[in-house]
Amino acid sequence: MPHVVTRFAPSPTGFLHIGGARTALFNWLYAHRAGGKMLLRIEDTDRERSTDAAIAAILDGLKWLGLDWDGEAIHQFQRAARHREVAEQLLAAGRAYYCYATPLELDDMRAKARAEGKPPRYDGRWRDRPASDAPPGIKPVIRLKAPQTGETVLDDLVQGRVAWANENLDDFVLLRSDGTPTYMLAVVVDDHDMGVTHIIRGDDHLTNAARQMHIYQALGWDVPRMAHIPLIHGSDGAKLSKRHGALGVDAYRAMGYLPAALRNYLVRLGWSHGDQEFFSTEEMIAAFDLAQVGRSPARFDFAKLENMNGHYIRSAADETLTDLLIDTLPHLPENSAFPQKIDAAMRQKLLAAMPGLKERAKTLIELRDGAQFLFAQRPLPLDAAASGILDASARQHLAELLPRLTTLAAWSSAATEEAVRKYAEEKHLKLGQVAQPLRAALTGRATSPGIFDVFGVLGRDESLGRLADQIR
RNA sequence: GCGCCCAUCGUCUAGCGGUCUAGGACGUUGCCCUUUCACGGCAAAAACAGGGGUUCGAGUCCCCUUGGGCGCGCCA
């Protein structure tokens, strides 16, 4: 396979949103598949809107998702001198020119073009004027002398052949009047200098691709292969907004999703491999291919993500999951009924309960809530359903069961089960009629892991104590 | 307005001219399992946007319409 270098190039004007995360994932997968590299470039040339906090959030999000990059992150702003140099090189070669048009003139130009049913574009008024025409006191921008006829054709790895008539494109700005580069120039120069071979990005950049190709051509540089992947939409089909998923990846962590689950969900958005739904990281890398990326936008569906997350939780090893939950605790929304600090003894308890807990949780939040009874203090608070279960006859059953359980020779799930089943049989009760009161007394809830597992995990003293609390 | 992109069940998608009475997954509904809740199992409802072509044959190719999206800055 040929040498492959991809890059993820977020602009640090906000968190790493879900669309960006998927773009990063596709770049990462493509690079790994080819045994190549994925580079990271922070596009911080917009000094007004770029923040260090956003950079930190993006790096943190990538790390959490397990998407590592090769080498140091490049900060685009630090390369401004190089960008300027290239603009001047273009100027010297006659492939770019100074433009002295004022913002007011440009506004008029666009308004007029629109009125005539043409795309609003720069009319090239300074394209062929001699330097001697330069008005005094105005700092010029540098514009690219773009081709005015013919067409620009992109062979996109996802979109296929896309063509633009050059007359619909214009002489855009390369270098601003203050000497700083525009995004269009910076991207091309950086991708070239970084040796990027494959540009995989959102299809909101598709039109930019034509303009960037003009820069490559003017410079005589090879154009990297490009792949414009469709955007992710909200559940209503419109642009992703905060209400349906345009959250930072940290928000997904806070909702209790596993990185592996989010990765799996994201990779299946717009990409498929036959009917396969679940992919380990290795499988994903081996199977991923841009040719299978669809061209239509996908809607974000929390229900499916949640289902996948449940799958990942259920199939995770107990040790792994226990530690993941503990490590994630600080990121989850506060729950005063659950300890923020888990010591070694508590961890053991959690681990022991994990087989029963993980079957019942779709998110780490649900996992935590399900585990709450483990650490509850006696006497247990009962929720509405639990106190509904514990009526007089239920408490009577508990009272009769308590001595039988107290005298058990050895305490275990199996031993308690035998005792309880025997009691139910003697009294001609269905197991549920005694299991539910036990559950309510032991966990304070109407739902929990299997009740005999609860006995086992809680241990003799705590179990008997909780039962006794409800008898009085 | 102009340019570009897109269009299969509610959602993610399989399908790359005949094997499609359109397959899988999520969600939904029903049944089973069952100490609760889950899990699991079984079953059901559910789609080729519309219209023209091309072809012996079209979900698959072409055109138009409609509907979405993206772009059109001295933002990125």
Side-chain angles (χ1 to χ4, degrees), chain A residues 253-264:
Chain A
R253 172 167 56 193
M255 288 185 273
Y257 295 111
L258 270 44
L262 190 55
R263 258 184 275 138
N264 199 146

Side-chain angles (χ1 to χ4, degrees), chain A residues 95 97 99 121-128 141-148 166 169-174 211 214:
Chain A
R95 306 303 299 262
Y97 58 92
C99 165
R121 58 186 170 85
Y122 177 71
D123 64 5
R125 62 183 59 183
W126 284 92
R127 186 176 168 110
D128 296 312
V141 298
I142 295 179
R143 286 181 184 273
L144 181 74
K145 199 174 274 185
Q148 296 175 304
N166 286 334
L169 273 9
D170 65 354
D171 290 349
F172 56 91
V173 175
L174 298 173
R211 295 192 161 84
H214 288 167

Side-chain angles (χ1 to χ4, degrees), chain A residues 9 51 53 67 77 80 94 161 239-240 288 323 338 420:
Chain A
T51 67
L67 304 179
F77 180 67
R161 181 184 188 275
K239 193 171 178 156
L240 209 50
F288 188 75
D323 291 333
F338 196 89
V420 172

Side-chain angles (χ1 to χ4, degrees), chain A residues 316-329 342 346-355 357-358 364 367:
Chain A
D318 296 332
E319 289 269 353
T320 312
L321 196 53
T322 300
D323 291 333
L324 184 62
L325 175 60
I326 293 170
D327 292 345
T328 309
L329 244 26
I342 300 289
M346 293 163 105
R347 181 181 176 280
Q348 271 314 113
K349 229 181 212 187
L350 200 50
L351 182 60
M354 202 44 82
L357 293 173
K358 70 182 183 185
L364 292 179
L367 190 63

Side-chain angles (χ1 to χ4, degrees), chain A residues 35-247:
Chain A
K37 292 178 175 179
M38 179 179 89
L39 274 20
L40 178 64
R41 183 173 70 231
I42 306 294
E43 309 217 315
D44 55 352
T45 54
D46 184 345
R47 305 312 290 167
E48 294 289 304
R49 298 194 299 153
S50 298
T51 67
D52 287 345
I55 294 175
I58 289 167
L59 300 189
D60 178 55
L62 288 173
K63 283 179 198 154
W64 176 70
L65 265 176
L67 304 179
D68 51 350
W69 55 94
D70 292 282
E72 289 295 304
I74 303 283
H75 290 254
Q76 193 162 58
F77 180 67
Q78 291 175 353
R79 295 179 35 81
R82 165 66 176 155
H83 302 146
R84 199 174 309 127
E85 174 189 309
V86 172
E88 271 150 21
Q89 178 186 330
L90 248 13
L91 198 59
R95 306 303 299 262
Y97 58 92
Y98 285 120
C99 165
Y100 296 86
T102 63
L104 215 64
E105 276 182 82
L106 295 173
D107 283 347
D108 286 348
M109 208 182 286
R110 279 189 274 268
K112 198 173 147 221
R114 221 185 183 97
E116 288 171 3
K118 291 182 191 162
R121 58 186 170 85
Y122 177 71
D123 64 5
R125 62 183 59 183
W126 284 92
R127 186 176 168 110
D128 296 312
R129 284 175 75 168
S132 54
D133 280 4
I138 291 185
K139 284 201 173 148
V141 298
I142 295 179
R143 286 181 184 273
L144 181 74
K145 199 174 274 185
Q148 296 175 304
T149 57
E151 61 177 12
T152 297
V153 178
L154 169 64
D155 258 311
D156 193 277
L157 262 13
V158 168
Q159 303 290 336
R161 181 184 188 275
V162 185
W164 296 264
N166 286 334
E167 57 181 330
N168 289 320
L169 273 9
D170 65 354
D171 290 349
F172 56 91
V173 175
L174 298 173
L175 205 70
R176 302 187 187 105
S177 52
D178 65 0
T180 61
T182 60
Y183 160 80
M184 216 61 84
L185 174 68
V187 166
V188 169
V189 174
D190 290 346
D191 282 334
H192 173 263
D193 290 0
M194 289 162 74
V196 171
T197 60
H198 296 258
I199 296 174
I200 303 170
R201 74 224 306 192
D203 73 5
D204 49 336
H205 286 288
L206 188 55
T207 318
N208 291 335
R211 295 192 161 84
Q212 287 162 15
M213 285 172 78
H214 288 167
I215 302 180
Y216 280 104
Q217 286 156 4
L219 255 3
W221 290 349
D222 287 337
V223 182
R225 297 309 310 270
M226 295 191 184
H228 289 90
I229 62 179
L231 268 15
I232 299 175
H233 288 176
S235 49
D236 57 359
K239 193 171 178 156
L240 209 50
S241 67
K242 284 193 182 171
R243 66 182 317 114
H244 42 236
L247 305 160

Side-chain angles (χ1 to χ4, degrees), chain A residues 2-24:
Chain A
H3 161 72
V4 166
V5 178
T6 67
R7 47 62 156 190
F8 178 56
S11 60
T13 53
F15 42 50
L16 175 61
H17 59 82
I18 206 69
R22 189 184 58 149
T23 302

